[in-house]
Amino acid sequence: MGAVDRALADPGLDAASIRLLVEGRHGDPFSVLGPHALKGDIALRTFQPGAESVAAIDPSGDIIARLDRIHPSGLFAGRLNSTRTPDYRLRITWPGGAVQETEDPYAFPPLLGGLDLHLLGEGTHLNLADALGSHVMEADGVSGVRFAVWAPNARRVSVVGDFNNWDGRRHAMRLHPGAGVWEIFVPRLPAGARYKYEILSNDGRIQPLKADPVARATELPPATASIVPDPAPFPWSDDLWMAERGVRQSADAALSIYEVHAGSWTHMDGWRDPNWDELADRLIPYVTGLGFTHIELLPIMEHPFGGSWGYQPLGLFAPTARYGSPKDFARFVDRCHAAQLGVILDWVPAHFPNDTHGLAQFDGTALYEHADPREGFHHDWNTLIYNFGRLEVSQFLVASALEWLRRYHVDGLRVDAVASMLYRDYSRKAGEWVPNIHGGRENLEAVAFVRRLTQTVAHEAPGAMVIAEESTAWPGVTAPVADGGLGFSFKWNMGWMHDTLDYVGKDPIHRRHHHDEMTFGLVYAFSEKYVLPISHDEVVHGKGSLYGRMPGDPWQKMANLRAYLGFMWGHPGKKLLFQGCEIAQVTEWDHDGELPWALLEDPSHRGIQSLVRDLNAIYRREPALHMRDASPEGFRWIIGDDRANSVFAFFRLGGGPPVLVICNMTPVPRHDYRAGVPEGGFWEELVNTDAATYGGAGLGNGGRVEARAEPSHGMEHSLSLTLPPLATLFLRPRSSA
């Protein structure tokens, strides 16, 4: 009897079904393969391409039934003389005599629960990587891996890997139509197995093999397979930190952030990237020793191209394998918390690269992205834009955020490129964008997503921060959603950064004509909760280093940099400084290199580092410098209009004694420079950026100066100060010490 004849003799299997199975085009293999009731007994069918023979055996190893080959491609079928499905395994004999015994993947029932499927279908599942992805588990007492993936428009989805010779016909999955999710349980598969998904699109095309969108572990790039993760939970030891982090990260707390690219901060053995343990050994004591409260890591979500610094990620649930395993990263965070150091991650929900193994055209359709390039393609970055209006995509992104904040105990996410999300015409010419339903340029779907994100984080990860990199005047970025805002914890103050860097980059002789660049930020300083960012973006793409932006000879460059850092630490707003700026790196940042640590052999570079350490210590110690960052009551101008001398003076107020910050942004010392103060007695110098210990000339006020009863600037007392050249001073009344 031929293959087709055998099939026709089995009412449950026809020639068309056989053809679809062997061609890998059957959309519902569970309806055909595995055990099925048939005319009073059980029909058993299995597709094992390349196998020589297949038998069904009982738990003791005795043969229940020998299956017939009913198609030369490897389709086997037989009957189990039973009215119900017995406990059986498959004994498969391969060429060369190798024998494999395994449970039948098509004998297991659906494993995704009804609640999971309901939440997935409506796009509200907050634990997405617990439902989808790969999970070591037991089913009916058998250990294996459950795979599940969202691909609603596919005709067939299979999981492939070394375990099935990457043959998409071997483990075709079951569809849950209401949720658009495919699943299968592969028995006896262990953690660590490599896998991807083979997807047959609805138009009959097999897509390039796709990595798992919610994989929790990946291969080391440039390899692109997903990895079945180790199911053992990480033993966290940071309960106290997690309970207290909301207070540590509030708007009235001292936040001083050191921004780091994990692969280029230091190299091991002179050439290789550090792993997470090696980075923890060196980075944590260094950053805490400088007094920073947090580190912020450039994106460590898995990304195919290292030259993107992580800003073109495809593995939004997986720490990059470049620095170790997911547990290694968790241990790094735990060690940071043990050292009282918070961890912020850059996170990129605005766009994704179009690599063929990624999200692009995932199931043969524009699933995660927009189909219309006027909505779905970024010309600036050659990337695709998430379809924020699709609930399942919004769910995917929100769940990614929660993965880092809850699973890895990360303390905050800095959301990249928010402006590109909020505006439909971002970086587009007329005719290259689609207006919203009201004819406007605002991306209403992205706004809804952002609000969903910030509200969900506030509810699900109390105390965690969500920080916006947003460069426009969009109102209420940090206002509560209930008040019409976007709900972010903080916003990067890009305007302050651009204006002040432009100012300090000018020759001091011209600064009087640009005085407003240093003062304009105070016009809107309290409209949002701000972070002052001197980030990686300011030391790349030909901009040079922060030190290199400063005008003049080497001494003036150092003095300018010290004065600028003093101004920044005195100014309202939380602080962020990119790696290398604290040692006055001379060259532009190189993501393939490491920081030029040899610079610290030079006293002037060590002096910048010492200044940053002291600024952080005073910033954290003096409540006036941080408690009212977001309130106009925390700031008062004393001298904001001295263009001729390029001098700025202001008070920081709140929670303790006032702190006077005064800057001389010219290379000319100013003697007997008068500034009004609210009380008499001695005022001490907390900071003098011209101090010899920082590499300066040591000009100043001998550590203290007495306030006389001479009215000035609307106050009853005043100080007669010596302002060093290109320097910033912090002073406070000694009586309050």
Side-chain angles (χ1 to χ4, degrees):
M1 186 182 292
V4 173
D5 294 333
R6 290 180 186 272
L8 293 177
D10 180 348
L13 190 67
D14 57 23
S17 295
I18 290 180
R19 185 177 66 255
L20 291 172
L21 281 171
V22 300
E23 292 177 355
R25 296 180 180 276
H26 202 296
D28 186 13
F30 278 84
S31 68
V32 178
L33 299 178
H36 293 271
L38 184 67
K39 290 186 176 180
D41 57 12
I42 302 296
L44 178 61
R45 312 180 192 102
T46 184
F47 187 42
Q48 303 293 341
E52 289 191 345
S53 65
V54 180
I57 61 175
D58 65 18
S60 65
D62 294 335
I63 294 176
I64 300 173
R66 298 183 186 278
L67 307 188
D68 295 326
R69 185 191 302 271
I70 65 172
H71 193 280
S73 291
L75 183 60
F76 293 83
R79 297 204 180 194
L80 308 178
N81 293 320
S82 175
T83 57
R84 61 181 181 83
T85 303
D87 187 1
Y88 75 94
R89 298 196 305 273
L90 299 175
R91 178 179 289 163
I92 308 166
T93 303
W94 300 99
V99 176
Q100 174 191 9
E101 290 188 5
T102 182
E103 290 72 19
D104 185 354
Y106 293 94
F108 292 90
L111 299 179
L112 276 170
L115 179 59
D116 281 326
L117 292 170
H118 172 74
L119 295 175
L120 289 167
E122 68 177 15
T124 59
H125 206 305
L126 300 182
N127 302 300
L128 195 66
D130 289 341
L132 303 182
S134 59
H135 297 274
V136 175
M137 62 181 299
E138 280 195 2
D140 295 339
V142 177
S143 178
V145 177
R146 187 202 72 201
F147 296 91
V149 63
W150 180 57
N153 303 305
R155 182 183 298 179
R156 185 265 296 167
V157 179
S158 301
V159 62
V160 296
D162 299 320
F163 52 89
N164 60 16
N165 292 321
W166 301 87
D167 186 341
R169 300 173 299 170
R170 294 274 299 278
H171 289 99
M173 304 170 77
R174 165 193 281 119
L175 174 65
H176 297 283
V181 170
W182 302 75
E183 76 158 319
I184 194 170
F185 178 74
V186 179
R188 305 199 182 195
L189 194 63
R194 301 190 308 152
Y195 72 98
K196 288 186 178 181
Y197 295 112
E198 182 181 278
I199 298 175
L200 180 69
S201 64
N202 200 41
D203 62 4
R205 294 178 295 113
I206 292 181
Q207 302 301 301
L209 293 184
K210 296 291 188 178
D212 191 338
V214 298
R216 281 175 164 157
T218 65
E219 280 191 292
L220 178 66
T224 57
S226 303
I227 301 291
V228 176
D230 181 350
F234 180 80
W236 291 97
S237 62
D238 63 348
D239 288 353
L240 183 59
W241 171 276
M242 295 296 285
E244 295 178 344
R245 72 176 180 184
V247 175
R248 294 172 180 267
Q249 301 181 158
S250 64
D252 60 1
L255 265 67
S256 181
I257 304 164
Y258 185 74
E259 191 187 30
V260 180
H261 177 254
S264 64
W265 185 77
T266 190
H267 280 174
M268 309 304 297
D269 306 320
W271 61 273
R272 67 174 177 85
D273 290 349
N275 61 40
W276 286 118
D277 287 331
E278 292 166 335
L279 196 63
D281 290 341
R282 298 189 181 193
L283 179 64
I284 293 173
Y286 178 81
V287 175
T288 56
L290 288 180
F292 287 96
T293 64
H294 289 70
I295 58 169
E296 180 175 318
L297 295 168
L298 271 61
I300 55 92
M301 300 80 195
E302 192 59 271
H303 50 283
F305 176 46
S308 75
W309 319 326
Y311 287 98
Q312 294 196 9
L314 281 174
L316 262 64
F317 292 76
T320 177
R322 290 170 174 84
Y323 312 121
S325 71
K327 280 191 170 60
D328 294 336
F329 175 65
R331 187 166 54 252
F332 173 83
V333 175
D334 202 43
R335 290 180 64 181
C336 285
H337 289 172
Q340 307 302 296
L341 185 65
V343 179
I344 302 168
L345 300 183
D346 278 14
W347 180 66
V348 187
H351 61 117
F352 60 92
N354 57 11
D355 299 61
T356 57
H357 73 278
L359 301 178
Q361 292 284 309
F362 186 78
D363 64 357
T365 68
L367 188 62
Y368 287 88
E369 70 272 34
H370 290 274
D372 188 337
R374 295 175 300 167
E375 296 183 278
F377 184 75
H378 263 309
H379 294 281
D380 290 354
W381 305 311
N382 196 35
T383 53
L384 301 173
I385 301 169
Y386 287 105
N387 183 350
F388 302 111
R390 184 162 196 165
L391 286 176
E392 298 95 336
V393 175
S394 174
Q395 163 188 259
F396 170 79
L397 294 170
V398 170
S400 166
L402 294 178
E403 183 83 356
W404 302 102
L405 298 172
R406 296 190 303 190
R407 185 177 184 84
Y408 291 104
H409 290 202
V410 165
D411 301 295
L413 298 174
R414 175 268 197 185
V415 183
D416 183 63
V418 172
S420 75
M421 299 162 62
L422 296 179
Y423 297 97
R424 287 175 164 266
D425 63 345
Y426 181 87
S427 197
R428 295 178 186 272
K429 300 175 183 177
E432 294 180 347
W433 58 282
V434 179
N436 63 34
I437 58 173
H438 305 299
R441 56 195 289 257
E442 298 82 8
N443 190 330
L444 304 179
E445 295 80 9
V447 172
F449 157 69
V450 165
R451 288 173 171 160
R452 177 185 182 185
L453 168 71
T454 57
Q455 287 182 302
T456 303
V457 167
H459 185 266
E460 298 290 328
M465 298 180 289
V466 188
I467 304 168
E469 187 222 9
E470 204 285 313
S471 55
T472 74
W474 187 281
V477 172
T478 59
V481 172
D483 295 338
L486 298 182
F488 283 97
S489 311
F490 297 98
K491 170 181 172 174
W492 274 21
N493 194 335
M494 310 293 282
W496 174 91
M497 178 269 297
H498 286 299
D499 288 347
T500 59
L501 284 180
D502 187 67
Y503 177 90
V504 295
K506 289 181 166 56
D507 190 301
I509 199 171
H510 301 303
R511 286 178 177 169
R512 66 178 62 192
H513 305 297
H514 301 275
H515 198 76
D516 293 344
E517 289 184 307
M518 293 288 270
T519 63
F520 182 66
L522 274 307
V523 173
Y524 60 86
F526 311 109
S527 62
E528 302 278 6
K529 298 169 187 172
Y530 280 118
V531 173
L532 308 182
I534 301 299
S535 74
H536 63 281
D537 279 331
E538 308 320 309
V539 294
V540 291
H541 301 320
K543 295 177 183 176
S545 65
L546 188 60
Y547 166 89
R549 286 172 175 257
M550 305 298 153
D553 58 29
W555 185 92
Q556 287 197 9
K557 285 179 178 291
M558 285 293 190
N560 264 296
L561 180 53
R562 292 192 301 267
Y564 181 66
L565 291 172
F567 175 80
M568 175 180 174
W569 256 255
H571 194 284
K574 312 310 178 185
K575 323 302 175 190
L576 180 140
L577 194 67
F578 183 59
Q579 65 180 42
C581 294
E582 83 284 4
I583 61 172
Q585 179 169 345
V586 175
T587 56
E588 189 171 88
W589 171 53
D590 174 12
H591 71 270
D592 288 324
E594 68 171 345
L595 292 190
W597 295 110
L599 287 177
L600 291 175
E601 298 172 8
D602 184 324
S604 63
H605 290 271
R606 287 201 308 274
I608 298 289
Q609 187 186 58
S610 295
L611 174 63
V612 170
R613 180 184 297 112
D614 289 351
L615 286 170
N616 274 330
I618 292 164
Y619 169 65
R620 296 174 73 171
R621 189 184 72 211
E622 298 292 331
L625 290 173
H626 60 259
M627 280 197 67
R628 294 183 180 171
D629 267 335
S631 171
E633 288 76 24
F635 178 89
R636 178 178 175 180
W637 274 116
I638 298 300
I639 303 166
D641 57 356
D642 189 358
R643 298 172 178 272
N645 294 310
S646 296
V647 171
F648 309 86
F650 51 84
F651 276 111
R652 297 300 311 280
L653 307 163
V659 175
L660 173 64
V661 180
I662 185 163
C663 310
N664 175 15
M665 301 304 290
T666 70
V668 179
R670 309 289 176 189
H671 297 285
D672 194 24
Y673 193 93
R674 192 159 298 278
V677 293
E679 61 185 86
F682 284 100
W683 286 61
E684 63 177 322
E685 280 184 344
L686 300 175
V687 173
N688 177 355
T689 65
D690 191 51
T693 188
Y694 305 140
L699 189 64
N701 300 279
R704 68 175 189 172
V705 61
E706 187 174 9
R708 304 288 185 181
E710 298 181 23
S712 183
H713 303 106
M715 298 187 183
E716 295 299 319
H717 297 79
S718 61
L719 301 173
S720 178
L721 297 167
T722 294
L723 305 184
L726 297 172
T728 295
L729 307 178
F730 288 14
L731 301 104
R732 75 161 189 180
R734 173 168 286 190
S735 61
S736 303

